[in-house]
Amino acid sequence: GTRFFYANPLEVDPVAHDHRRDLYGGAIQAERQDWFGCACCPPNVARLLASLGEYAYSQNDEEVYVHLYVGGSANLALVGQKLALTQETRYPWDGRIEITLQPAAEMAFTLALRVPGWCRQASLQVNGERVEWNLYKGYARLTRTWQPGDKVTLELAMPVERVAAHPAIRANAGRVALQRGPLVYCLEQADNGANLPAICLPREASLQATYEPELLGGVVTITGEARRQTAAGWEGALYQPRPADAAMEPVQIKAIPYYAWANRGRGEMLVWLREC
């Protein structure tokens, strides 16, 4: 919370980036910067946290919208009737969100829960029973008469996905990025060693998500088997005919959420991985 980035590069070589400039003429840093005496962007984080509740929920006389999934509570009023709402979740590490409704008395209204665009599969339960719902403009809507203590459970599937770029993005041709839930992931030198571009991810490789409470304040990491190209057989040559069995060695990779990189010293970072 005391150091930050202005630029958000998707690939970093610490030596090369010390000599590159961003769109505003500033150096593209390979490590987080100290707080500036006069900073325009980072103070917006403090402003966001102070007003987060206004972004999480909204309402009208007949509907309550839940926009953000974060543990906490809200006190609302619909047509003069009070409604308390409590949300419990480990999102974004887990796609299970539990919302307990406490209307002052029996009350009919629509509860609308955001289904993020990244989510391919979602399910809803009310008091432990699966219910049907319709999706309208990105929200799952439940219209019913609610009783004090009713509990709504939303399950958002969070498989590890490989994300491809449009073919016109030349720098990403033949590459994929890893995403789980709302988070994009990256490889960092601290976990995978130097020369990250030498790593390629086999198309058939399985990827596992694991919560590591002691790492970077507690994060879900993605691990899997990959391959790393070695310099065996090159003997100092810069170019040579590609051998049919180019030297590759198996390697275990670990990806961390992109937001958490550059907290363990200077090193390489890579979002878009070669696929092989």
Side-chain angles (χ1 to χ4, degrees):
T2 60
R3 299 171 67 86
F4 64 94
F5 280 113
Y6 259 70
N8 290 286
L10 301 184
E11 180 176 352
V12 164
D13 176 336
V15 176
H17 276 71
D18 283 346
H19 303 286
R20 292 178 58 191
R21 318 298 286 183
D22 63 20
L23 294 177
Y24 305 99
I28 296 179
Q29 299 294 323
E31 57 188 324
R32 297 175 185 265
Q33 304 173 16
D34 290 323
W35 195 266
F36 290 169
C38 179
C40 61
C41 297
N44 282 324
V45 175
R47 184 180 69 173
L48 171 65
L49 292 177
S51 59
L52 189 60
E54 299 177 14
Y55 292 95
Y57 306 97
S58 64
Q59 66 176 100
N60 56 38
D61 289 343
E62 300 176 347
E63 300 168 314
V64 173
Y65 285 84
V66 182
H67 307 294
L68 301 179
Y69 298 120
V70 54
S73 59
N75 293 301
L76 310 173
L78 280 74
V79 197
Q81 297 190 54
K82 294 183 179 180
L83 170 66
L85 181 154
T86 302
Q87 185 179 161
E88 297 179 81
T89 182
R90 293 182 64 248
Y91 186 89
W93 309 127
D94 190 301
R96 184 181 179 89
I97 299 105
E98 294 184 345
I99 298 174
T100 302
L101 303 172
Q102 291 288 356
E106 181 181 282
M107 186 187 305
F109 62 90
T110 296
L111 180 66
L113 307 177
R114 184 175 66 90
V115 178
W118 55 260
C119 182
R120 315 284 179 234
Q121 183 177 357
S123 64
L124 270 174
Q125 294 181 9
V126 176
N127 298 328
E129 296 185 5
R130 198 172 187 125
V131 295
E132 298 297 323
W133 51 279
N134 65 302
L135 186 68
Y136 180 71
K137 293 187 176 180
Y139 286 79
R141 297 168 58 84
L142 292 175
T143 301
R144 59 186 287 155
T145 299
W146 300 93
Q147 307 289 336
D150 279 346
K151 179 177 287 188
V152 178
T153 302
L154 173 64
E155 292 273 5
L156 303 175
M158 284 189 176
V160 177
E161 294 188 322
R162 302 184 185 207
V163 178
H166 190 282
I169 305 176
R170 297 182 182 184
N172 292 337
R175 296 174 181 263
V176 294
L178 301 181
Q179 179 175 333
R180 180 179 182 270
L183 300 180
V184 172
Y185 280 69
C186 68
L187 300 187
E188 216 179 358
Q189 184 173 338
D191 301 306
N192 303 280
N195 194 16
L196 297 179
I199 295 175
C200 70
L201 183 63
R203 290 180 176 86
E204 69 279 4
S206 63
L207 298 167
Q208 297 79 40
T210 306
Y211 182 69
E212 299 191 36
E214 304 301 322
L215 178 63
L216 296 165
V219 297
V220 168
T221 62
I222 296 174
T223 57
E225 292 291 334
R227 300 171 187 162
R228 184 192 296 270
Q229 188 172 3
T230 73
W234 285 84
E235 300 174 351
L238 184 58
Y239 302 102
Q240 67 177 9
R242 177 180 172 84
D245 55 345
M248 303 285 285
E249 62 181 9
V251 61
Q252 180 81 7
I253 62 169
K254 176 186 284 190
I256 64 169
Y258 176 77
Y259 78 81
W261 82 278
N263 280 297
R264 295 176 290 172
R266 286 170 62 88
E268 297 179 29
M269 183 277 295
L270 184 65
V271 170
W272 290 94
L273 315 176
R274 288 194 299 131
E275 197 172 45
C276 55

